C-alpha cells in the first residue's frame, strides 16, 4: 500500500465520518474530529463520560496528519501515518466495523410535496462450500420491508443510484411492516432453501474420495502393527479433510430507503 493510497484512505475515511478536513499540503491535513470519531480513536472514556453526565459542551480533538516521512519535523503535534502504524491499523479496524451495516437514502428532489422512501433490507455475503476443495458464491439479497418482495443481486441494482447516508429534504421514511430481525430470518431461510435445491456433485465426489482414503487407511492398519490411537487420529484427519458441508457468512448489510423500485 503506497503512501498516496494511505493519504486518500485517510481523507475519505474522515470525510465519510463527518469530520472536517483542512488541507495543509499535498501530503498533510488537519482534521477536526467529530464527537463520534473522537470517542472511537482518542481513548478518552472518562472525559466523554463526564461530558455526557454533566451535559457539557464537548471539545473533540484536532489532529494534524502527515503521510510523507521526509516532510516530518520536530512538531510533536503532527502525527505521521504510514502502513503498519498503530493509528492506521486502528482506522482500518474501525472502517471494517462501521462498514458492517449502513443506512442509505435515495437522493430524490421533490418538486412540490414530500416524497415517501420505502425501506429495503440488503444482506451481502457468501455461501461457502467446504471439502478437500473449497469454493464460495457471493450473494446480495434485497428484501422489501413493506411488501416482502425479495430480489437477487440487489447491490448491482442500486450501485449506480444517487445514494447518501443523509435523508434528503422533503422526504420521509415509511415504517416497515416487516421487522428487520424477521427480514434477516426470511433471507437466511431463502438462502438455505436455495442451497438445498442445488445438485451437489462436488459433495458426492468428496465423499467418494474420502471413502477411498479411509479404505486404504484401514488396509494399511490391518497389515501393519500400530496403535488404535494413531489409526483413529488419521481417520479423523481424513474425515475432516473431505467431509462436505456448507456455511453461510454475512459480510455486511444495509437499510436502503428508496422512492423508486430497484428494477425500474
Amino acid at each position: 500500500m503506497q503512501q498516496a493510497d494511505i493519504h486518500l484512505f485517510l481523507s475519505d475515511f474522515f470525510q465519510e465520518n463527518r469530520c472536517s478536513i483542512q488541507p495543509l499540503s499535498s501530503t498533510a491535513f488537519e482534521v477536526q474530529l467529530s464527537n463520534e470519531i473522537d470517542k472511537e480513536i482518542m481513548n478518552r472514556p472518562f472525559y466523554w463520560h463526564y461530558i455526557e453526565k454533566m451535559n457539557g459542551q464537548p471539545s473533540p480533538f484536532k489532529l494534524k496528519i502527515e503521510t510523507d516521512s521526509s516532510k516530518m519535523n520536530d512538531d510533536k503535534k503532527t502525527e505521521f501515518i504510514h502502513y503498519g502504524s498503530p493509528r492506521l491499523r486502528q482506522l482500518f479496524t474501525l472502517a471494517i466495523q462501521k462498514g458492517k451495516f449502513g443506512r442509505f437514502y435515495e437522493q430524490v428532489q421533490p418538486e412540490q410535496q414530500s416524497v415517501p422512501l420505502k425501506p429495503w433490507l440488503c444482506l451481502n455475503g457468501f455461501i461457502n462450500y467446504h471439502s478437500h476443495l473449497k469454493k464460495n458464491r457471493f450473494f446480495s439479497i434485497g428484501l422489501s420491508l413493506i411488501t416482502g418482495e425479495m430480489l437477487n443481486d440487489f447491490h448491482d441494482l442500486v450501485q449506480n443510484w444517487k445514494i447518501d447516508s443523509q435523508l434528503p429534504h422533503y422526504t420521509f421514511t415509511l415504517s416497515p411492516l416487516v421487522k428487520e430481525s424477521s427480514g434477516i430470518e426470511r433471507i437466511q431461510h431463502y438462502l438455505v432453501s436455495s442451497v438445498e435445491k442445488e445438485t451437489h456433485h462436488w459433495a458426492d465426489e468428496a465423499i467418494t474420495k474420502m471413502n477411498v482414503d479411509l479404505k486404504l487407511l484401514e488396509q494399511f492398519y490391518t497389515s501393519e502393527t500400530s496403535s488404535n490411537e494413531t489409526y483413529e487420529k488419521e481417520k479423523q484427519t481424513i474425515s475432516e479433510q473431505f467431509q462436505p458441508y456448507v456455511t453461510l457468512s454475512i459480510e455486511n448489510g444495509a437499510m436502503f430507503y428508496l422512492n423508486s423500485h430497484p428494477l425500474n
Side-chain angles (χ1 to χ4, degrees):
M1 191 175 192
Q2 301 299 316
Q3 285 302 110
D5 298 324
I6 293 174
H7 186 91
L8 181 60
F9 165 76
L10 294 171
S11 178
D12 288 344
F13 174 86
F14 286 120
Q15 290 185 74
E16 286 292 330
N17 286 281
R18 310 297 172 185
C19 302
S20 59
I21 288 179
Q22 178 63 44
L24 301 176
S25 71
S26 61
T27 61
F29 58 85
E30 184 177 68
V31 54
Q32 173 61 67
L33 300 181
S34 65
N35 293 348
E36 180 183 4
I37 296 301
D38 187 295
K39 291 178 184 178
E40 294 281 1
I41 73 173
M42 298 311 296
N43 193 27
R44 300 198 293 168
F46 297 110
Y47 170 81
W48 284 105
H49 176 74
Y50 174 80
I51 289 294
E52 291 169 356
K53 184 176 182 180
M54 302 301 294
N55 197 26
Q57 183 65 33
S59 180
F61 267 117
K62 280 186 178 181
L63 294 180
K64 285 185 178 181
I65 292 174
E66 175 62 68
T67 56
D68 185 346
S69 59
S70 67
K71 296 181 180 179
M72 287 294 292
N73 51 39
D74 296 331
D75 182 5
K76 295 182 179 180
K77 294 182 179 180
T78 299
E79 187 171 348
F80 173 52
I81 298 183
H82 57 90
Y83 188 72
S85 63
R87 179 72 76 193
L88 188 61
R89 291 198 300 269
Q90 181 190 42
L91 296 180
F92 279 161
T93 300
L94 184 57
I96 293 172
Q97 292 174 348
K98 294 176 73 62
K100 286 291 186 180
F101 193 86
R103 196 171 298 271
F104 304 101
Y105 306 88
E106 182 182 358
Q107 297 301 291
V108 295
Q109 296 180 339
E111 295 181 357
Q112 294 182 344
Q113 58 184 3
S114 295
V115 169
L117 301 180
K118 303 162 191 172
W120 286 79
L121 172 66
C122 174
L123 294 182
N124 302 316
F126 292 93
I127 297 173
N128 306 291
Y129 302 84
H130 304 267
S131 67
H132 62 300
L133 301 176
K134 294 178 174 59
K135 65 176 183 177
N136 56 54
R137 175 163 61 89
F138 176 76
F139 65 82
S140 179
I141 308 294
L143 174 71
S144 169
L145 298 186
I146 298 295
T147 66
E149 179 183 8
M150 197 176 298
L151 298 175
N152 284 299
D153 302 320
F154 191 82
H155 179 266
D156 292 338
L157 294 175
V158 301
Q159 66 174 341
N160 293 322
W161 285 27
K162 290 184 178 180
I163 301 291
D164 194 84
S165 59
Q166 296 297 307
L167 181 69
H169 296 303
Y170 307 114
T171 64
F172 63 94
T173 59
L174 295 179
S175 298
L177 301 179
V178 179
K179 292 183 178 180
E180 290 182 24
S181 57
S182 177
I184 293 172
E185 291 179 358
R186 291 191 189 191
I187 292 175
Q188 290 178 326
H189 177 74
Y190 166 77
L191 291 169
V192 170
S193 296
S194 69
V195 171
E196 290 175 343
K197 293 175 183 177
E198 294 175 353
T199 302
H200 298 287
H201 295 301
W202 64 276
D204 297 333
E205 293 174 1
I207 291 175
T208 298
K209 291 179 181 294
M210 179 177 67
N211 290 334
V212 169
D213 279 18
L214 288 174
K215 187 174 181 180
L216 290 172
L217 179 69
E218 184 177 353
Q219 291 174 349
F220 175 79
Y221 276 105
T222 54
S223 60
E224 298 288 342
T225 303
S226 291
S227 67
N228 289 333
E229 182 180 354
T230 302
Y231 169 74
E232 291 298 330
K233 284 183 178 180
E234 294 194 27
K235 181 179 179 181
Q236 182 179 355
T237 298
I238 293 173
S239 298
E240 291 175 349
Q241 179 183 2
F242 287 96
Q243 187 65 49
Y245 64 98
V246 179
T247 60
L248 176 66
S249 59
I250 305 295
E251 297 299 315
N252 52 54
M255 284 291 299
F256 287 86
Y257 291 89
L258 309 176
N259 177 247
S260 307
H261 191 279
L263 294 179
N264 292 341

